[in-house]
Amino acid sequence: WLPLSRGLGDVYKRQPAFPALSLQPVSPNLLVMRTAPGFANALAVQLDQEPLPGQAGSIAGDDTVFVAVDPKHFDAARRAARSRFGIR
């Protein structure tokens, strides 16, 4: 994450320091996130440090991250990922 601008005190508005390009929901409990080559590990680390709702874990390759999610929280996790990473 990179600081974008200073607010009051030490509060920063932040955005991901890597491009999350697409999100493919694979029911009932898997989200597949695609990013630029070489960025998947950074994306997975960020997801593991700040998990999505119901996230059980993640596995990263070069440009793809598989995110395992509790099926009860699947829709909330998908919405959170789209919002957090600016994916439409």
Side-chain angles (χ1 to χ4, degrees):
W1 292 83
L2 297 175
L4 288 179
S5 62
R6 283 191 185 268
L8 298 173
D10 292 324
V11 177
Y12 289 87
K13 292 183 180 177
R14 298 164 17 155
Q15 74 175 19
F18 48 84
L21 304 176
S22 69
L23 174 70
Q24 177 65 42
V26 182
S27 293
N29 67 335
L30 183 65
L31 296 173
V32 178
M33 300 182 75
R34 306 281 297 205
T35 187
F39 285 92
N41 282 309
L43 178 57
V45 167
Q46 197 282 323
L47 285 166
D48 289 342
Q49 289 175 350
E50 297 179 37
L52 298 172
Q55 178 179 324
S58 65
I59 299 174
D62 182 51
D63 64 354
T64 305
V65 179
F66 290 171
V67 184
V69 179
D70 182 331
K72 296 177 215 165
H73 301 283
F74 187 78
D75 289 332
R78 182 175 44 87
R79 285 190 304 272
R82 289 187 188 280
S83 173
R84 184 184 302 177
F85 300 108
I87 301 169
R88 295 181 185 199

